Amino acid sequence: MSATSARPSPAPPTSGAAFIFKKALISAGVALVLFSLMIGVRTEAGPQGGLIYWTRFGDLAVLVATVFGGSIIVELLRQWWGPVDSDRFVPKPVQTAMAFAGRWLAPALLVFAFLIPVIFYNQRYILDLSILVLTYVMLGWGLNVVVGLAGLLDLGYVAFYAVGAYSYALLATNFGLSFWVCLPLAGILAAFWGVLLGFPVLRLRGDYLAIVTLAFGEIIRLVIINWQSLTGGPNGVSGIPRPTLFGIPLDNSDDGLAAKLGIDFSPTHRIIFLFYLILALALITNWVTIRLRRLPIGRAWEALREDEVACRALGINVTTTKLTAFATGAMFGGFAGAFFATRQGFISPESFTFQESALVLAIVVLGGMGSQLGVALAALTMIGGFELFRGLDQYRMLVFGMAMVLLMIWRPRGLIGHRAPTVFLERNQAISSDLVKEGHG
Amino acid sequence: MDYFAQQLINGLVLGSIYGLIAIGYTMVYGIVGMINFAHGDIFMIGGFIALISFLVLVSFGLTAVPVILLIVLLVSMAITALYGWTIERIAYRPLRHSFRLAPMLSAIGMSFVLTNFSQVSQGARVKPVPPIITGGYTLHEGAAGFAVQLSNIQIVVVLTTIVLLAVFTWIVSRTRLGRDMRACEQDQTMAALLGVDVDRTISMTFVIGAALAAVAGMMYLLYYGLVDFFMGFVAGIKAFTAAVLGGIGSLPGAMLGGLAIGLIETFWSAYFSVEYKDVAAFSILIVVLIFMPTGLLGRPEVEKV
Amino acid sequence: MSDDHILSVDRLMMRFGGIVAVNSLSFTAERRKITALIGPNGAGKTTVFNCITGFYRPSGGALRLVHDDGRAFQLERLGDFRISKLAKVARTFQNIRLFPGMTALENLMVAQHNALMRASGLTFLGLIGAPAWRQAEERAIDLARTWLDRVGLLLRADDAAGNLPYGDQRRLEIARAMCTEPALLCLDEPAAGLNARESGGLNELLLSIRDLGTSILLIEHDMSVVMEISDHVVVMDYGVKIAEGAPQAVRDDPKVIAAYLGADEEEAIAVMESGT
């Protein structure tokens, strides 16, 4: 499919010092133009309100030099590696090793997850981080139903997360309903919204569906911001009740859990409770998804991803099948949202931006579209990686964006590039992702 | 009636800006079949470059406004076009024959990179500029003291849009590059076999789209008198809405869709509520896609079985 | 309309814009017989198929399907997936449409979607692993195994469909259609791309499907297939029926020969040679 192959022209040299130097020089030249004004000149509103500027030619020079050096290194690496293809980057033995690792990695991770509160009992930071990672694991698994299994590209997943969070927050603060009553309600409401959105738009294909879901996510956020009497607008909802252990609060009051058990109260108890709560929710999501894959509905989702026309010819109602996928994913998002609200005690529209949707989608795609383990690993990598750059606050999204681009170039098929069959006669053998389709919706 | 006329003018001006951005979306979609998510941010970069070059020129002591504007226009078009070229080269070209989601995620990543690049390099605060083009005409003196105004800047925006659109239509319909672009849109493999340099044609598509977005960015700066690092996101979605509304892949459609979105947004703000203007625009997107999936001027897609 | 017609096509019209692809076409397909629909390229055969299987909504005319038990369906009113689900019409595609990333067995399981959905209590019984669901799943796997065996793919049951050789994919698609337990099986050029040996195997497979009680409607270019297995042949050209009858009679019909000669020399030769 190479475009240039059609022309019998003498191939330009693609190696040698002169070639590398020339290429680096071009890159540096491009960088110089790109950065000349954006880096070389810094603007700011001055004390009198007008704009002032100052120059930063030093920074500009450093950046251009970095691009020059980086270009040389990249080119050297490329020649050392040979032509870029994914087999070369991930050698076959490594791929089989990864598939093998998959067998014991999942149980090992599970055991480790259960032990985290024991191992890191006094390390609040790690516990908080684990809860955050698990929340994204759950969101990833929820979105995986929609994107990974059914092949429907949803860029507004955060809307359902928001619906779940606001459902719990508003039901709890206005009507005093407990977390355990609101949790299923939040899921149902989110699923309801999923159906409401899905019903008209699921006929759309491909990128259109993506952009409509994105618009829907934005609509939900804008409505939350502007419907101040209900949602508190940009100020959000505060004073959301903390979860209780089926009615027993986790505080230092007389009827709190600590007092009842006769042990000293510690705020860590609540954190650990939250940890196991999200772990349980995530595992339920995982269990349900694995079960669903082996049921006709799950197989229909995957068949839909593979070939919608063939599904219709086999008598599958494409619309309801898509709707169930959408609603199931939305429901899990709603559960996660309710958990988020109770954990934070405060929610505002700022938590439900497009960046969140993109982050969860990146987790699903990096995980390998449909692989449960892959999604968990991707969530760990992404959120962990995010934490590494916590110090460089304003560079965080910059690095995240670059990482997304590089990851897509490196592994467009994600970390786990295999699909496990849902049923087999003799051999349970994984299917290479090269064969697996990605859906049109 | 006067109020209505005023809103009509405002809506057309806003629509011209959306239309210029929408052309970039529609061209890229037509030729490579992907939503260039970073295009809204290209528009934002264009606005910033216009702002900075304007400041630098003024501090050099240039005072002739038309000369300044012309230089700013050319500089921001040139540099922003290079951004478009670089992004295609780095983030999209390696993924051209990859699976469908990859370029889209790469584009979302690139959008984050651009947004945060300008936040890091230029700061998060809104950048205001004093009005550069002032004055205007009063078209009609209303009864209740309300006058229909047509400002010079509005004239400049609309005229620039018309001129660029004419130039651009000429490029696509009359030049060799335009022919190559249309060929690639139909069938890249066949175009390559017939000697069209597909890589170069796609690059040029991105370059032209970015240049037009830069113009839109500059017009936005002149019209609203400010830029900020986050303005690309919402403008981008709306321009994409415009492209879809007009029928994605269709150039006159993009302009028409841009005008429609501009008018809808302006009238909604004027007669209903400013807060929900974006909700209105996005709802239109959803409604159009449901009832008119091919848009106003798009070609219907026949399902092959 | 007598009872031994499973499908009666009555004055079927299909227009695309100003183009009339199928013009007032009428024919019938007999129960437990193989009916072939032939004609030069562009005659409108696949369009007829798409109307029968619900991918196109006909511009006019009636498509009546009668089950063995006497239940009748007006296909032009059902549309889309209901034609397969209720009227039990299954089809294959000219360019194979399997689920390439799923195994052969999974492909056949998807085909039993509607039966399995009922058995799984619309998923809820299945989610809790109810015994009734488990039995239904066992039966579904058995049916799939039976068909894999019939098309000779039992040993490749756990291979990805996309990894199978071309001929195997063709047969798997037929097996998948049969797993919907259809009353009428519509095959769009099943022999395309097959070599002589595979083509012979296909003939036997189709005859055995007919003998099991399923009626077959067939579009085919391979005249050896058509002449060998069809019970009845309908010839189309430019959207209208130009001849119909027993294979021998149709082959000698001058109008048919003229249509093929006018359209495509190779095919005309194929028609004439197949008789000698």
Side-chain angles (χ1 to χ4, degrees), chain B residues 44-68:
Chain B
M44 177 271 299
I45 292 277
F48 264 95
I49 287 171
L51 171 86
I52 296 167
S53 49
F54 176 73
L55 268 185
V56 173
L57 284 176
V58 168
S59 75
F60 280 173
L62 261 178
T63 47
V65 170
V67 178
I68 294 184

Side-chain angles (χ1 to χ4, degrees), chain A residues 306-307 312 315 422 426 429, chain C residues 80 97 101 106 114 158-159:
Chain A
E306 298 282 314
D307 194 327
R312 282 161 59 189
T422 59
E426 304 288 335
Q429 56 187 10
Chain C
D80 207 35
R97 279 182 175 268
E106 281 181 306
N114 287 314
D158 298 322
D159 287 339

